[in-house]
Amino acid sequence: MSVLLPPPKRQKVYHGVPEPAPESPRSTPNVVVQFVSEDDGSPLAPAVNLPANVSREALEGLVNKLSVKDEDPVPFSFAIELPADAATPGAPTRVVITKSIEDDVLSHPSKVFTPEDVFVIRCSPQAVFKVRPATRCSSTLSGHASPILCASFSPTGNLLATGSGDCTARLWDLFTETPSHTLSGHKGWVLCVEWEAMERKLATGGHDGHVRLWDPKTGKPIGDALKGHTKWVTSLAWEPIHINASSPRLASSSKDGTVRVWNTSTRRLEYTLGGHSASVNVVRWGGGGMGGKGVLYTASSDRTVRVWDADQGKPLYTLKDHAHWVTTLTLNTDFVLRTGPYDHKGKKPASDEEAQKLALDRYTALLASSPELLISGSDDHTLFLWSLFPSASDSAPPSTKPITRLTGHQRQISHVAFSPDGRWAASAGWDNAIRIWEGRTGKYVATLRGHVGAVYRLAWSADSRMLVSASKDTTLKIWDLKTYKLKSDLPGHTDEVYCVDFVADKVVSGGRDKTVKIWRN
């Protein structure tokens, strides 16, 4: 049987018009590139001369060949700082290379770069795993009879806890996306839920001033409520696992102006911190401090942030730079302290000692390039970046002066959060905007605009490449930190969204419409 050939391609006829001359291929200039570390600005390799159209992937391979001593290649993100005089107010202050230097830098609208320049490319190592962005709502879980005020994934990401105005907290199984247990006992709204980093206990704080402990496996209370606060509980924080793996203590802050630290095994009060003269809005338990015994950071409506030695309960510093209530705090170690021994590999520690070692390894790896940093956000529309405990390699004495003041929000700050790798910080405000800052210097990077109502809450993906925001405008939005643009819009709630959390490739949200929504890829 003979093979039928397709008919020959018909030649284009120009009907009397002369055939245009073929476009000559555009010549690509060669440029001199200097790769420097995002952490400290030190050169990663000698300056090299490259064609400007070398792709981002090829740049990554080149940096790995030139600088990374390990066998396994490391993913990098590349960015070039815009000169101060060329940056447009409100626009990003850096150009991220997503395709090539030719496409992203030489073609930049500011026209400040020429092929004759030496391009200083800042290289930032990325997580070796990649989180997929959530694009759809996989479950809408009803059950709470009042607005949902707080939501938190467990450290392994297998369970979810939510607290509501109906005086109950609920546990949800994320494998089946169904209700697991209802935790009844509070006599007022459940305002905060916090998981112990080994996932053995869950703590809840209520409008009744009580702190309760629960067993997440059975949903049963562990003893009676921890009573002592005279007004509602505003925030909870567990002692880090790398300091105390067998029986971590719990700190609770309250509207009554005190912070109480509880021994969770004897269920007794260890000590009360009473230095603030107004409501303590948030408490954080850091892993650093003198001798590595841990530090408590408390932010209050008396306009101060206080730092306490967690071992003895002694006051260390009082930070008085804010001009209004301090409503939110974040540490660059928040993510590793919250997840303790659990990382993206999913390995489960066999004993408390192993868990303590794993948690300590993760904590020290994060602090290899920078000390434990704190950002405080306030109703004075500003944030401050603090470094109170310099790393061992840093010869500078401890200072209570902030590294820098982060300005730009037009209204009160509602939430601030460091990325899991500590390189970036994001702040949300009542001005409908989210601002991205460099985590180590506090330098402004970009503004994310898209919400049409106040942004209440932020959560980072575990690989620090994405950010999710919850807003008064009833939507969640996922932002891409490579382009500083919207990656996916998640409408679905019928009223304000009060809380959001991000684990693996799942996002959970809850709000005034009394439903919990789980979003996934």
Side-chain angles (χ1 to χ4, degrees):
M1 186 179 158
S2 61
V3 178
L4 264 177
L5 291 171
K9 193 173 176 188
R10 203 170 57 179
Q11 293 299 313
K12 191 165 183 183
V13 182
Y14 285 93
H15 301 292
V17 180
E19 186 176 340
E23 274 189 34
S24 57
R26 196 174 51 164
S27 63
T28 296
N30 272 24
V31 291
V32 177
V33 171
Q34 173 71 70
F35 295 107
V36 301
S37 164
E38 178 77 75
D39 297 337
D40 53 9
S42 59
L44 295 176
V48 288
N49 196 329
L50 300 171
N53 62 354
V54 169
S55 68
R56 198 201 72 81
E57 290 72 21
L59 287 176
E60 196 172 274
L62 181 64
V63 173
N64 274 295
K65 280 274 193 306
L66 292 172
S67 68
V68 179
K69 308 294 183 287
D70 302 330
E71 296 298 313
D72 298 331
V74 176
F76 280 96
S77 76
F78 301 107
I80 292 179
E81 297 283 339
L82 276 169
D85 52 351
T88 318
T93 57
R94 45 171 51 204
V95 182
V96 179
I97 298 172
T98 55
K99 293 178 185 167
S100 67
I101 295 173
E102 187 172 35
D103 291 339
D104 298 311
V105 183
L106 293 177
S107 308
H108 193 262
S110 64
K111 301 287 183 218
V112 291
F113 299 105
T114 66
E116 283 75 41
D117 296 332
V118 174
F119 292 91
V120 179
I121 297 184
R122 302 182 79 83
C123 309
S124 172
Q126 301 285 288
V128 291
F129 59 94
K130 212 163 189 178
V131 174
R132 292 176 302 183
T135 53
R136 63 189 176 88
C137 178
S138 64
S139 294
T140 300
L141 307 171
S142 53
H144 280 299
S146 285
I148 292 153
L149 307 174
C150 49
S152 178
F153 282 116
S154 66
T156 59
N158 298 338
L159 292 168
L160 166 69
T162 54
S164 164
D166 61 8
C167 309
T168 67
R170 281 176 179 255
L171 288 171
W172 312 84
D173 181 345
L174 289 178
F175 291 119
T176 56
E177 298 187 359
T178 53
S180 168
H181 299 100
T182 302
L183 315 178
S184 306
H186 282 286
K187 296 182 176 64
W189 305 338
V190 179
L191 299 173
C192 41
V193 292
E194 200 70 35
W195 289 90
E196 183 219 37
M198 292 275 285
E199 211 174 280
R200 294 171 298 202
K201 291 175 184 158
L202 173 72
T204 58
H207 201 271
D208 52 8
H210 296 170
V211 175
R212 289 181 175 268
L213 299 174
W214 311 86
D215 180 350
K217 286 194 182 74
T218 62
K220 297 273 192 300
I222 302 172
D224 198 14
L226 306 174
K227 298 174 184 173
H229 287 298
T230 55
K231 288 188 177 167
W232 61 87
V233 178
T234 54
S235 168
L236 298 166
W238 286 92
E239 188 172 15
I241 290 296
H242 72 266
I243 296 172
N244 183 351
S246 54
S247 175
R249 294 171 293 171
L250 176 70
S252 59
S253 65
S254 169
K255 173 75 174 170
D256 63 13
T258 66
V259 174
R260 290 174 175 258
V261 174
W262 311 88
N263 182 320
T264 53
S265 50
T266 62
R267 308 180 43 70
R268 290 182 183 277
L269 176 70
E270 288 222 340
Y271 53 80
T272 304
L273 307 175
H276 286 291
S277 57
S279 164
V280 183
N281 299 318
V282 60
V283 60
R284 281 276 184 277
W285 202 315
M290 315 297 181
K293 292 283 181 70
V295 230
L296 284 163
Y297 302 90
T298 57
S300 166
S301 292
D302 64 6
R303 308 196 300 275
T304 66
V305 176
R306 286 176 183 257
V307 186
W308 316 78
D309 168 31
D311 196 35
Q312 311 272 316
K314 291 178 185 161
L316 297 175
Y317 307 116
T318 303
L319 314 175
K320 299 180 174 177
D321 290 68
H322 280 294
H324 210 303
W325 303 341
V326 189
T327 53
T328 177
L329 289 179
T330 182
L331 295 169
N332 60 345
T333 53
D334 272 348
F335 182 78
V336 291
L337 295 182
R338 173 186 169 178
T339 49
Y342 301 107
D343 61 7
H344 63 280
K345 294 172 188 158
K347 184 172 179 269
K348 212 169 178 184
S351 64
D352 287 352
E353 291 72 31
E354 189 189 346
Q356 189 160 2
K357 183 182 178 302
L358 287 169
L360 184 59
D361 290 348
R362 293 184 70 211
Y363 181 77
T364 48
L366 183 72
L367 293 191
S369 56
S370 120
E372 190 165 74
L373 301 172
L374 170 77
I375 293 181
S376 57
S378 163
D379 279 8
D380 64 7
H381 310 183
T382 70
L383 306 108
F384 281 104
L385 172 65
W386 315 84
S387 176
L388 301 167
F389 302 99
S391 52
S393 59
D394 195 348
S395 56
S399 167
T400 57
K401 284 200 164 45
I403 295 174
T404 187
R405 186 174 187 227
L406 285 56
T407 59
H409 280 287
Q410 307 298 309
R411 293 191 63 191
Q412 295 95 321
I413 312 292
S414 54
H415 192 215
V416 60
F418 263 108
S419 63
D421 62 10
R423 291 174 195 281
W424 311 105
S427 59
W430 289 75
D431 57 0
N432 310 354
I434 300 154
R435 286 181 169 253
I436 307 294
W437 316 86
E438 279 184 18
R440 293 179 171 86
T441 61
K443 186 170 175 286
Y444 166 77
V445 175
T447 303
L448 311 178
R449 296 193 189 278
H451 282 294
V452 292
V455 186
Y456 289 146
R457 199 91 191 152
L458 302 169
W460 286 87
S461 64
D463 62 358
S464 304
R465 289 185 177 99
M466 287 181 295
L467 178 73
V468 63
S469 53
S471 166
K472 185 179 180 176
D473 67 10
T474 77
T475 68
L476 296 167
K477 294 190 192 303
I478 295 182
W479 307 88
D480 185 351
L481 267 287
K482 193 183 270 184
T483 58
Y484 307 116
K485 293 207 167 62
L486 186 65
K487 196 163 184 97
S488 38
D489 196 357
L490 305 175
H493 281 285
T494 57
D495 213 330
E496 304 180 16
V497 189
Y498 292 144
C499 51
V500 67
D501 203 2
F502 204 145
V503 73
D505 54 1
K506 290 193 282 282
V507 173
V508 66
S509 59
R512 201 167 165 183
D513 61 3
K514 308 173 194 172
T515 61
V516 175
K517 284 185 180 284
I518 297 174
W519 313 80
R520 58 172 71 227
N521 183 271

